[in-house]
Structure formats: structure tokens, C-alpha cells
Amino acid sequence: VREAAKTFNIPLDLFIEDQPASDLRRRKDERRRYFVHVRTRLGATAIATGETLDDAAEEFLATLVSDHGPPLSGSPAEDVFARPLLPFSREECRAFLKDRGISFRPDPDALSLDTKEKKLRLLIVPLLRRHVESAVLQNVAAAASLTADSELFLARLVSAARSEVDWHARDG
């Protein structure tokens, strides 16, 4: 990753986890806090992630089967995180890298079956693709996007309603 960033003259700040956490949501929250800190330190306007269509769909499915409950949309639709790879599958991203002679570095921790989320990714999603619908992740990612848009709309609506109530309460 460092070598690719240097080759393409891309600023890089890596977050290396000391211990793999069993709760993937907690791990993601820790990474997000770290990257927001780096963004503030560097004065950057956004943080680009490597989240793909597969990742978004898998996160949405994991939320559906988890005991954590909402938010169903997974990642917030509007925040400081840019997701330039979101329209592309993991397979498309790997092919893009391979065509340019850039090696892909998989996360070895992602291959273990120690969490519900990883079992979903490694066992259930391949079964759905093979035996139910090959485009399952595209369809789930579209549902996740619609849910995120709906949550954002409702949050804005509630915020506007609260402002209206506060305004009327002040005027008494």
C-alpha cells in the first residue's frame, strides 16, 4: 500500500490494528474515528475509503442478521467519507489493479470465520450468488443505498421540525 501511494504520489496515513476485534462494527467505528482525527490534523475535506459495492452490501446484510439493530443503511449517506469505489464490485477492483500491474493485498483476518459477519461474507453470500441470484450483492447494495437516502431524508425532516418547534417556543 505504501509503495502504491508513493508511486502515484498519494498522501497516505495507515491505521494498523493491534488486535483483531470480534465485533466488526466496533472495528469500523474505531477506524472511522482515527481517520476523522487524521482528516482534522491534515486539514483535508474528505477521507477516501476502499469500500466496494460488495462491502456495502455485506455490511447491510450483516446488519439485518445482527443483534445490533439500526441503522439499517450501514454507513451514513452524508459524511466526510468519500467512497469512490462504491459503484464497483470487489472483483472489478481487483481486475483494475491486475491490469495495471498493482498487487492486491488481502486482509488475512478477513478470511477467518470467527464472526457472524465473516461467515456471512465467506459462506452465505457465495451460496446466494451461486444458487439464488448472481447479482445478489448489486441488489442488496441498491436496497442499502435507498435505505440510507431515506434515513438521511427523515433525519433532515426531523431536524427541520425541531427547528420549527424551537422557533415557535421562543416566540411563545
Side-chain angles (χ1 to χ4, degrees):
V1 172
R2 290 179 208 267
E3 200 57 42
K6 189 186 300 181
T7 299
F8 296 104
N9 197 28
I10 299 170
L12 176 69
D13 200 314
L14 292 176
F15 175 71
I16 300 172
E17 296 167 312
D18 293 333
Q19 295 180 348
S22 60
D23 184 344
L24 294 182
R25 182 179 286 192
R26 190 178 74 218
R27 286 178 67 183
K28 184 173 183 173
D29 289 344
E30 288 171 6
R31 285 191 301 269
R32 289 173 64 88
R33 279 193 297 277
Y34 173 78
F35 287 127
V36 167
H37 168 75
V38 170
R39 174 187 159 266
T40 303
R41 182 171 49 85
L42 297 176
T45 56
I47 300 160
T49 72
E51 185 177 6
T52 64
L53 179 140
D54 298 56
D55 297 319
E58 290 162 358
E59 182 178 349
F60 185 75
L61 285 172
T63 303
L64 290 175
V65 299
S66 80
D67 53 2
H68 294 294
L72 282 177
S73 62
S75 300
E78 182 178 74
D79 58 20
V80 299
F81 291 87
R83 297 170 183 82
L85 303 180
L86 205 51
F88 306 102
S89 70
R90 193 175 293 127
E91 186 178 304
E92 290 171 309
C93 291
R94 287 181 182 172
F96 177 88
L97 293 172
K98 184 179 179 184
D99 290 349
R100 285 152 184 79
I102 302 170
S103 61
F104 173 77
R105 184 181 166 267
D107 176 4
D109 186 48
L111 300 176
S112 71
L113 295 172
D114 61 344
T115 67
K116 207 181 324 184
E117 292 87 350
K118 291 177 188 176
K119 289 174 185 168
L120 181 77
R121 170 183 276 181
L122 298 171
L123 302 174
I124 305 304
V125 169
L127 285 173
L128 288 171
R129 279 185 165 149
R130 193 174 6 214
H131 299 291
V132 178
E133 173 58 54
S134 62
V136 67
L137 290 187
Q138 289 87 339
N139 297 337
V140 171
S145 179
L146 287 171
T147 303
D149 291 346
S150 297
E151 285 181 359
L152 182 59
F153 171 76
L154 290 172
R156 287 178 176 165
L157 194 62
V158 167
S159 179
R162 283 186 179 149
S163 295
E164 181 81 13
V165 168
D166 289 344
W167 182 76
H168 284 297
R170 280 193 302 269
D171 286 352

